[in-house]
Amino acid sequence: MELDFGPDVRDFRDEVRDWLADHLVGEFAEHRGVGGPTDGAAWEVRLAWDRELSAGGWLGVGWPREYGGRGLGLLEEIVFEYEYARVNAPYRATVNALDLLGPMLLRMGSEAQKKRFLPPILAVEELWGQGFSEPGAGSDLASVRTRAELDDGGTSRSSGAESGGEWVVNGQKVWTSFGVHADWLYVLTRTDPRSARHKGLSLLLVPTDQPGVEIRPIRNLAGQDEFAEVFLSDARTGADMVVGEVGQGWRTAMATLGIERGTTLLPQQLTFEREAEALIDLARERGALDDPMLRRRIVDAWISVRIMRTTNLRTIAELTAGRTPGAQATTAKLYASTRHQQLGRLATELAGPAGQIVGEGYALDRRQRSFLLSLAETIYGGSSEIQRNIIGEQVLGLPKEPRP
Amino acid sequence: MDLTFSEEQDELRKVVRSFLARHSDEANVRRLAADLQGHDPVVWRRMAGELGLQGLAVPEEYGGSGFGYVDLGIVFEEAGRALLGGPYFATVALAAEALLRCADEQARHDFLPGIASGGTVATLALTEEGGRWDEQGIGLTAAYDETGGWRLNGVKTYVPDGHLADLLLVAARTPSGTSLLAVETADAPGLARTPLPTLDQTRKQARVEFTDTPARLLGPEGTAWPALERTLATAAVLLAAEQVGGAAAALDAAVEYAKIREQYGRPIGSFQGIKHKCADMLMEIESARSAAYGGLWALDAGGDTEIAIAAALAQAFCSEAFTKVAADNIQVHGGIGFTWEHPAHLYFKRAKSSEVLLGTPSYHRELLATRLGI
């Protein structure tokens, strides 16, 4: 099923197609399909590819022109993402800034923040890491303990920004994707020390190039250094580096997570479709199609990816028609993440003993990498358990769990 | 792209839902369920007269209103939600569709206006003792007799609403292959019809015996199977929409109960054991919606291959989704959900009967695999 987004965007689609055909060549083409939200493989090539995209004007298609974007609509953004995923281009190394921080700043940032940070994001000059999770606060972000205090230099007690004061940040963050490469972090902090839970949190933008920030890589279970732990010891950032209002960081963080759950699905879905096709080819090679049990699971894997596609199309159609997306937009992540894991398990099983052998230095092939990394999909962006709470409480209106 | 509903379609849904809330409420569902005939002619006529539901997707030239399958799917979704009894599925999803697909323009002109007006109850008689929905399952024969035309001999059974139908469309073997024949049941000689007591009392079935019963051949002899296959694909998608509606109603009931029923001093819906089950039910339903809506969109805009694939997918997935959600609804209700007085079992039984109505999920998975070349 070829997607037709209508005559209005056909020229734009052709432009995207032509550009991708001309530029996704050489080393970039060799790294087709590399990466994912948690995959730090082939980092340098991917970064170079992001710069190529930037030079072509393809980063920030929907962002306003004044910040370096193309100023086009949601439909064009979707068409670009779709065409991008269709040719299996490398997953963008700048995902944290492009897909999460950028949209958040556009929605909630100050004018000065937008002017200062958005153009360098689109120029791939500054890389960003997300500082939400903590060792004691993974799914429970409301229990964030990293503290930030305003040091106004003793000149004023009212406004740090005007007095040129600074935030002093202390705490520890973890699971920061691509953290070792980050020039800046957007960090959820507790700015009111007497506050409890989600009150009194603020979102701060913190530069990493300072003595108070130490970033140590952590290896994930696939053997990659894609994420990091971050130690903040009297790290400093300007008083004007709060996104949204002081004390409103919870709302800002939740909005970001909402964006995260939405944006990763469309490109992922096409990757999953490719994996399902590869699974069928593998089953055919291995003569597994005659086994009724395997056959059933193979057909189910195909059904799953087709359902993911239709679900996404429903959401896209609603968004572009100016309607509020239905409940499927909320259940899509839970469905996609669990079904993708099933697909990976089946593929690994079909690959047999040979699929259990890895390359030197724990080098994984595409199937192995995707299978192992899929285990993160039910954790990041809100775990499946958190998703079920959100669906239960916010969509179905069930009573909240009593919280101590 | 037209993958979302229009305001007119939202309005259609509202109108149908409110009509069914009045005429297919629990009391009426139970009344028809307890009756072996299971048909309310007054409601049937109002469905046609006030809302035009029987002829919604029938082209205007045959007396219908010429809407698409997405519109019809909305009606089936609402019918599933309300556990509508009576011959709507048999007449609209099976018989009207078979007429539209068969190569017989005259038959369309003769029969479709009656269906659209609510004057005719019709069904498709395909299955026999073997319960198969494929071409190989057709054993009943039709023979041509120079003096009296076509005559049917044999037995069809598990025929949806076959005991009620004014018009039977019968799949039969003739010397040239599979053919479709029409029998108008009023005063038809050699026709014996017996309603069958069904596990799911909300959807009736009948056994139909033919003994030298005169019948009218529709379209050229021996060429009916592709039209029947397409009819079954359409019916599979509409049944999937009905299953989505049934599942949605079951979830609504579960959620409503989980909000008010207290155990250990708080509503059970506040416990993750119940809350997460309800969340999974919604995920299952939304996925089933995608499967069913994908089928409806294919019927309106897709080619034959796309329709065949989307239909098999929809039936394989939505069947199991409805059954799972209907069972989970009973579980959420606990002991009360296991009683005859509570409606939860009505949905569960409808789910199980729908699972086999057009062939089991395994059968549809196999159809899908074949159509995908797996």
Side-chain angles (χ1 to χ4, degrees):
Chain A
M1 182 162 59
E2 180 77 354
L3 288 191
D4 185 2
F5 293 96
D8 298 350
V9 290
R10 227 163 264 159
D11 288 348
F12 177 77
R13 184 198 65 188
D14 292 344
E15 191 193 338
V16 178
R17 278 191 186 175
D18 291 347
W19 190 91
L20 286 169
D22 290 345
H23 291 80
L24 189 60
V25 294
E27 200 179 11
F28 300 142
E30 286 166 30
H31 286 83
R32 266 177 218 264
V34 157
T38 63
D39 185 359
W43 181 259
E44 292 304 325
V45 176
R46 288 166 56 197
L47 206 53
W49 168 243
D50 276 26
R51 294 201 172 100
E52 185 84 5
L53 285 168
S54 174
W58 296 110
L59 299 187
V61 165
W63 295 13
R65 290 178 164 277
E66 51 192 307
Y67 310 122
R70 289 276 286 268
L72 299 172
L74 175 67
L75 196 53
E76 282 84 359
E77 274 189 83
I78 291 167
V79 168
F80 175 73
E81 290 299 343
Y82 183 79
E83 293 299 328
Y84 188 88
R86 206 175 58 87
V87 297
N88 209 10
Y91 194 89
R92 290 188 287 276
T94 50
V95 56
N96 269 320
L98 268 180
D99 292 356
L100 303 176
L101 177 73
M104 178 176 77
L105 283 181
L106 283 169
R107 206 190 285 186
M108 298 169 144
S110 69
E111 191 52 36
Q113 287 168 347
K114 291 182 209 175
K115 285 211 177 94
R116 162 65 186 85
F117 291 113
L118 295 178
I121 287 174
L122 297 185
V124 199
E125 287 166 1
E126 285 176 349
L127 301 183
W128 284 81
Q130 186 186 63
F132 283 5
S133 298
E134 296 185 0
S139 291
D140 182 15
L141 280 183
S143 71
V144 154
R145 286 194 305 200
T146 293
R147 281 172 47 197
E149 280 176 277
L150 196 58
D151 172 10
D152 59 12
T155 54
S156 159
R157 308 230 40 101
S158 58
S159 166
E162 285 158 24
S163 69
E166 287 189 325
W167 290 101
V168 182
V169 190
N170 280 285
Q172 186 188 343
K173 294 290 174 181
V174 75
W175 321 130
T176 306
S177 295
F178 314 132
V180 287
H181 307 288
D183 301 299
W184 284 79
L185 301 164
Y186 51 105
V187 184
L188 193 60
T189 64
R190 191 166 294 282
T191 43
D192 178 356
R194 289 155 306 175
S195 67
R197 307 290 306 157
H198 58 274
K199 299 189 181 78
L201 297 172
S202 302
L203 198 101
L204 298 183
L205 308 177
V206 180
T208 60
D209 184 18
Q210 58 168 312
V213 178
E214 191 196 342
I215 300 177
R216 296 181 198 154
I218 311 173
R219 282 211 297 173
N220 67 21
L221 55 68
Q224 303 162 334
D225 288 340
E226 60 91 5
F227 49 43
E229 52 186 344
V230 178
F231 297 88
L232 302 157
S233 319
D234 287 337
R236 301 182 85 88
T237 193
D240 53 351
M241 289 294 141
V242 182
V243 182
E245 285 171 40
V246 174
Q248 294 294 312
W250 176 253
R251 266 184 56 209
T252 318
M254 287 303 113
T256 317
L257 288 172
I259 294 166
E260 180 170 358
R261 285 162 202 151
T263 50
T264 52
L265 285 176
L266 181 70
Q268 270 190 351
Q269 158 233 317
L270 281 168
T271 309
F272 297 170
E273 282 185 25
R274 269 184 212 103
E275 290 179 9
E277 297 298 335
L279 176 84
I280 292 166
D281 290 342
L282 177 66
R284 189 171 286 125
E285 275 169 38
R286 303 226 129 219
L289 290 175
D290 298 329
D291 178 324
M293 294 297 282
L294 286 173
R295 192 172 171 78
R296 175 188 169 137
R297 289 167 66 197
I298 290 160
V299 173
D300 280 346
W302 193 90
I303 288 175
S304 298
V305 296
R306 176 53 76 97
I307 283 179
M308 286 177 213
R309 167 193 280 233
T310 315
T311 300
N312 282 317
L313 292 180
R314 286 170 62 200
T315 304
I316 290 168
E318 285 163 349
L319 285 170
T320 53
R323 293 184 154 218
T324 307
Q328 86 282 352
T330 314
T331 57
K333 191 216 175 219
L334 182 62
Y335 185 79
S337 56
T338 47
R339 294 300 179 119
H340 186 223
Q341 287 176 359
Q342 285 174 15
L343 195 159
R345 283 200 290 269
L346 178 56
T348 306
E349 202 176 308
L350 288 174
Q356 294 297 310
I357 307 304
V358 301
E360 199 116 356
Y362 208 70
L364 305 174
D365 64 27
R366 188 161 292 181
R367 181 169 51 233
Q368 292 165 336
R369 205 172 58 226
S370 179
F371 166 57
L372 291 180
L373 295 179
S374 75
L375 292 167
E377 288 161 21
T378 45
I379 301 171
Y380 66 64
S383 67
S384 289
E385 290 68 30
I386 293 291
Q387 297 298 321
R388 290 190 179 96
N389 276 356
I390 291 171
I391 296 163
E393 292 171 13
Q394 294 174 21
V395 182
L396 296 175
L398 289 168
K400 283 190 188 301
E401 252 195 313
R403 290 182 171 103
Chain B
M1 272 200 314
D2 193 17
L3 298 176
T4 183
F5 294 107
S6 66
E7 278 174 32
E8 291 76 15
Q9 287 167 334
D10 288 347
E11 190 55 32
L12 171 68
R13 185 186 295 282
K14 254 167 67 184
V15 168
V16 174
R17 186 177 296 189
S18 121
F19 178 87
L20 292 175
R22 270 179 288 133
H23 299 290
S24 183
D25 60 348
E26 190 185 336
N28 277 309
V29 169
R30 285 183 182 274
R31 182 172 60 80
L32 293 184
D35 172 3
L36 206 53
Q37 292 292 312
H39 178 43
D40 185 337
V42 176
V43 173
W44 183 253
R45 277 196 298 276
R46 294 184 69 172
M47 282 170 66
E50 292 170 26
L51 303 177
L53 297 186
Q54 284 90 326
L56 192 71
V58 171
E60 290 174 51
E61 52 186 312
Y62 310 123
S65 3
F67 284 86
Y69 287 101
V70 170
D71 304 277
L72 193 57
I74 289 170
V75 179
F76 274 96
E77 194 178 334
E78 293 306 316
R81 186 181 273 280
L83 284 182
L84 176 67
Y88 189 67
F89 183 84
T91 303
V92 174
L94 291 171
E97 183 66 17
L99 286 165
L100 285 168
R101 299 302 144 206
C102 77
D104 196 325
E105 186 61 17
Q106 190 55 48
R108 276 190 277 281
H109 280 287
D110 291 346
F111 296 126
L112 284 171
I115 286 177
S117 72
T120 304
V121 167
T123 192
L124 175 68
L126 184 83
T127 45
E128 301 179 8
E129 292 294 354
R132 294 173 63 162
W133 287 88
D134 54 11
E135 192 175 16
Q136 285 68 45
I138 301 168
L140 178 135
T141 55
Y144 191 72
D145 162 3
E146 293 295 338
T147 56
W150 289 92
R151 300 208 178 254
L152 294 169
N153 275 292
V155 176
K156 292 286 181 183
T157 188
Y158 319 119
V159 180
D161 297 295
H163 57 296
L164 297 170
D166 309 300
L167 174 67
L168 288 170
L169 301 176
V170 186
R173 275 193 193 284
T174 62
S176 330
T178 300
S179 303
L180 187 65
L181 299 101
V183 175
E184 291 182 83
T185 56
D187 305 322
L191 181 69
R193 300 190 288 168
T194 321
L196 302 169
T198 46
L199 184 69
D200 163 22
Q201 296 173 301
T202 69
R203 179 134 51 208
K204 309 298 185 186
Q205 301 175 16
R207 177 184 166 89
V208 185
E209 285 178 62
F210 303 89
T211 312
D212 271 339
T213 309
R216 167 175 167 183
L217 179 69
L218 304 185
E221 187 201 339
T223 63
W225 183 249
L228 282 169
E229 201 172 20
R230 173 62 174 272
T231 300
L232 293 176
T234 304
V237 172
L238 295 171
L239 180 61
E242 195 196 275
Q243 288 163 325
V244 167
L251 173 61
D252 284 353
V255 167
E256 200 176 323
Y257 187 72
K259 282 178 185 172
I260 53 161
R261 168 70 172 168
E262 291 197 359
Q263 293 275 268
Y264 307 104
R266 55 184 169 114
I268 59 170
S270 69
F271 291 99
Q272 288 195 340
I274 299 295
K275 182 177 295 173
H276 288 190
K277 186 182 281 294
C278 291
D280 283 335
M281 289 161 82
L282 182 65
M283 180 189 76
E284 206 63 29
I285 290 168
E286 287 301 331
S287 305
R289 270 208 168 96
S290 292
Y293 291 177
L296 294 171
W297 287 312
L299 286 176
D300 275 338
D304 290 344
T305 311
E306 180 60 26
I307 288 171
I309 288 172
L313 182 155
Q315 204 33 239
F317 191 87
C318 297
S319 284
E320 289 179 350
F322 185 15
T323 298
K324 181 172 185 332
V325 170
D328 283 348
N329 179 38
I330 293 177
Q331 180 69 21
V332 169
H333 276 86
I336 195 80
F338 188 67
T339 61
W340 186 266
E341 283 69 27
H342 197 278
H345 72 101
L346 300 175
Y347 284 92
F348 180 73
K349 290 170 185 171
R350 174 66 82 88
K352 285 311 282 183
S353 79
S354 303
E355 236 182 70
V356 295
L357 176 56
L358 297 175
T360 62
S362 302
Y363 171 69
H364 285 282
R365 267 196 200 88
E366 197 48 46
L367 278 183
L368 179 60
T370 309
R371 287 163 184 178
L372 289 172
I374 294 177

